[in-house]
């Protein structure tokens, strides 16, 4: 064998080891990148949950700004300055909400005060079903006693002090009032500022073509979102009005309260209609004796919500403003887990705003297609 070949062989092996080292380094870097992204997502979720008292008024004010900004622009075309127009719109909104709350607070308080007696009436009317459930519970308890090793209860659970109901109600009411005031003040400033944020976005955009594109996207998103929220608000208000009239004709007590409940809960797809159906069924069960009368109220509401969901909403909202039902349900679960009932009410508007943004940004177009409720073309 040639001696030079033996001398040149070791450098080749060293070169191979030098090339293999960066591969392990790259794998370690990718793992660290994935871990950092995961921690970043968890930090965002924790921040959204911890800062809910601040973020909820901000998000609600932004959504209300999209709804009422066309009214402020219309007043501006009538030579009314934007701050004055914003004050007029906000004052009208507050007066309307105050009138509605004043109109509904008495029947709502009455039903809350009647809750214990109402439960007893429901229990008496459903005594046959309750007897079957009791028998099933007794049988299950006997099986549990036979199979359990130790039947003593945990004494620590009995001794744990519970907060008083009055203090919890006072704390919740105070938090709601502070959030409502913050939302109203922020809404006024957002409406009164007009296109200030859009002008600042154009100013910080470096290129002229990017400026034109940014203005076009911002205008389109604002228009589509305002149109969607306005249409949905009108549909929900119409459904609540028709439901209230139907409950009045059927002889249901406090028809205005149930109409307002339906209008608010209809912002939450599927779950809102199901909740309204359950409440109306319970009220009908308590108010009437005959089977036909008891079933009349939930049956009429079922027809009304079916017409709204299957015909009215698809006709008034274009196909570009439809969402994937699975994504809607997952979005409601996520925002309800994060922000409670208010989060569930805001889930669909937030999802729609993100979907409209994806439709007008080329890089996010695949995400917008996934969120869309349009049927995919056959392969």
């Amino acid at each position: 064998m040639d001696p030079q070949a033996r001398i040149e062989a070791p450098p080749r092996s060293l070169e191979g080891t030098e090339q293999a080292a960066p591969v392990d380094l790259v794998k370690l870097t990718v793992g660290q990148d994935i871990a950092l992204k995961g921690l970043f997502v968890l930090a965002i979720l924790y921040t959204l949950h911890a800062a809910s008292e601040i973020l909820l008024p901000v998000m609600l004010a932004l959504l209300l700004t999209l709804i009422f900004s066309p009214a402020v622009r219309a007043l501006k075309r009538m030579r009314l300055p934007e701050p004055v127009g914003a004050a007029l719109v906000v004052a009208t909104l507050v007066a309307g909400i105050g009138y509605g709350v004043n109109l509904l607070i008495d029947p709502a308080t009455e039903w809350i005060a009647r809750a214990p007696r109402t439960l007893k009436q429901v229990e008496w009317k459903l005594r046959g079903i309750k007897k079957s459930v009791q028998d099933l519970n007794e049988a299950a308890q006997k099986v549990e006693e036979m199979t359990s090793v130790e039947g003593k209860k945990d004494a620590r659970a009995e001794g744990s002090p519970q907060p008083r109901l009055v203090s919890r109600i006072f704390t919740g009411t105070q938090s709601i009032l502070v959030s409502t005031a913050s939302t109203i003040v922020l809404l006024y400033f957002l409406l009164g500022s007009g296109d200030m944020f859009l002008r600042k976005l154009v100013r910080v955009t470096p290129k002229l073509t990017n400026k034109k594109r940014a203005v076009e996207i911002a205008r389109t998103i604002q228009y589509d979102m305002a149109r969607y929220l306005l249409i949905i608000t009108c549909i929900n208000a119409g459904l609540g009005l028709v439901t209230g009239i139907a409950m009045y004709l059927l002889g249901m007590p406090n028809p205005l309260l149930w109409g307002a409940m339906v209008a608010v809960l209809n912002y939450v797809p599927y779950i809102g209609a199901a909740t309204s159906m359950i409440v109306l069924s319970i009220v009908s069960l308590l108010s009437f004796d005959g089977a036909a009368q008891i079933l009349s109220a939930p049956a009429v509401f079922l027809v009304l919500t079916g017409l709204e969901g299957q015909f009215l909403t698809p006709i008034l909202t274009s196909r570009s403003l439809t969402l994937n039902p699975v994504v809607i349900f997952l979005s409601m679960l996520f925002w309800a887990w994060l922000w409670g009932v208010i989060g569930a009410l805001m889930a669909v508007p937030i999802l729609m705003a993100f979907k409209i943004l994806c439709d007008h940004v080329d890089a996010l177009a695949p995400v917008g297609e996934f969120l869309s409720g349009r049927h995919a073309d056959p392969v």
Side-chain angles (χ1 to χ4, degrees):
M1 182 180 291
D2 188 3
Q4 293 182 355
R6 288 197 301 269
I7 295 175
E8 292 176 356
R12 277 199 292 259
S13 62
L14 290 174
E15 185 180 356
T17 57
E18 290 176 357
Q19 291 178 353
V23 176
D24 295 337
L25 182 60
V26 171
K27 290 182 179 179
L28 182 62
T29 304
V30 170
Q32 289 177 346
D33 184 60
I34 294 175
L36 288 176
K37 288 181 179 178
L39 292 175
F40 180 70
V41 172
L42 292 177
I44 291 178
L45 293 177
Y46 177 78
T47 304
L48 290 174
H49 179 71
S52 59
E53 294 185 359
I54 298 175
L55 294 178
L56 273 176
V58 173
M59 294 296 297
L60 187 57
L62 289 174
L63 293 176
L64 292 175
T65 301
L66 292 174
I67 295 177
F68 294 107
S69 55
V72 176
R73 286 197 294 267
L75 293 175
K76 183 180 179 180
R77 288 193 293 267
M78 299 171 59
R79 304 298 178 87
L80 200 63
E82 288 179 339
V84 179
L88 184 60
V89 170
V90 172
T92 305
L93 176 64
V94 172
I97 294 176
Y99 177 77
V101 170
N102 184 52
L103 193 65
L104 299 175
I105 189 65
D106 289 338
T109 305
E110 180 183 354
W111 277 98
I112 293 174
R114 290 172 50 189
R117 183 158 51 94
T118 299
L119 293 176
K120 291 182 179 180
Q121 292 178 359
V122 173
E123 181 182 359
W124 183 81
K125 289 195 174 185
L126 299 178
R127 58 189 181 277
I129 300 177
K130 179 186 175 184
K131 183 65 170 58
S132 302
V133 174
Q134 285 180 346
D135 294 340
L136 183 62
N137 289 335
E138 290 177 359
Q141 186 176 3
K142 290 180 180 179
V143 173
E144 184 178 358
E145 291 176 355
M146 293 172 61
T147 56
S148 62
V149 179
E150 186 177 356
K152 296 182 180 181
K153 296 183 179 179
D154 190 0
R156 291 176 299 177
E158 298 179 358
S160 58
Q162 298 293 334
R164 292 184 177 182
L165 179 61
V166 176
S167 63
R168 283 184 292 177
I169 293 176
F170 177 77
T171 304
T173 304
Q174 185 179 10
S175 177
I176 291 174
L177 291 177
V178 172
S179 299
T180 302
S182 302
T183 302
I184 293 173
V185 173
L186 183 58
L187 175 63
Y188 168 74
F189 285 119
L190 289 174
L191 290 175
S193 62
D195 294 334
M196 181 183 67
F197 293 103
L198 182 59
R199 292 193 297 266
K200 290 183 178 295
L201 176 63
V202 173
R203 184 177 300 175
V204 299
T205 305
K207 297 181 181 180
L208 180 60
T209 56
N210 293 338
K211 291 182 178 182
K212 294 181 179 179
R213 181 62 177 165
V215 172
E216 180 183 354
I217 292 175
R219 293 287 190 188
T220 306
I221 292 174
Q222 187 179 22
Y223 173 77
D224 289 346
M225 195 62 200
R227 181 164 62 95
Y228 171 78
L229 290 176
L230 184 61
I231 291 174
I232 293 299
T233 301
C234 292
I235 290 175
N236 294 344
L239 179 63
L241 178 62
V242 175
T243 302
I245 294 174
M247 297 302 107
Y248 173 77
L249 295 176
L250 292 174
M252 287 275 285
N254 308 119
L256 290 177
L257 178 63
W258 313 128
M261 178 197 69
V262 168
V264 173
L265 291 180
N266 204 50
Y267 280 99
V268 184
Y270 314 124
I271 299 177
T275 304
S276 298
M277 173 70 73
I278 293 173
V279 173
L280 291 177
S281 300
I282 294 175
V283 175
S284 180
L285 179 64
L286 296 174
S287 302
F288 306 117
D289 294 327
Q293 288 181 311
I294 292 174
L295 296 176
S296 60
V300 170
F301 175 73
L302 182 62
V303 172
L304 292 177
T305 189
L307 292 174
E308 176 268 327
Q310 299 299 322
F311 297 100
L312 185 61
T313 300
I315 290 174
L316 294 181
T317 58
S318 61
R319 295 183 62 186
S320 61
L321 296 180
T322 56
L323 293 170
N324 190 333
V326 178
V327 179
I328 290 176
F329 189 75
L330 293 176
S331 176
M332 287 190 300
L333 290 179
F334 173 76
W335 290 108
W337 166 75
L338 197 64
W339 288 344
V341 178
I342 304 298
L345 290 173
M346 298 171 60
V348 175
I350 293 174
L351 183 62
M352 178 56 69
F354 181 66
K355 192 256 180 188
I356 293 174
L357 175 64
C358 293
D359 289 341
H360 294 89
V361 177
D362 296 335
L364 299 176
V367 180
E369 180 62 27
F370 178 77
L371 298 177
S372 175
R374 298 189 300 264
H375 294 286
D377 297 331
V379 181

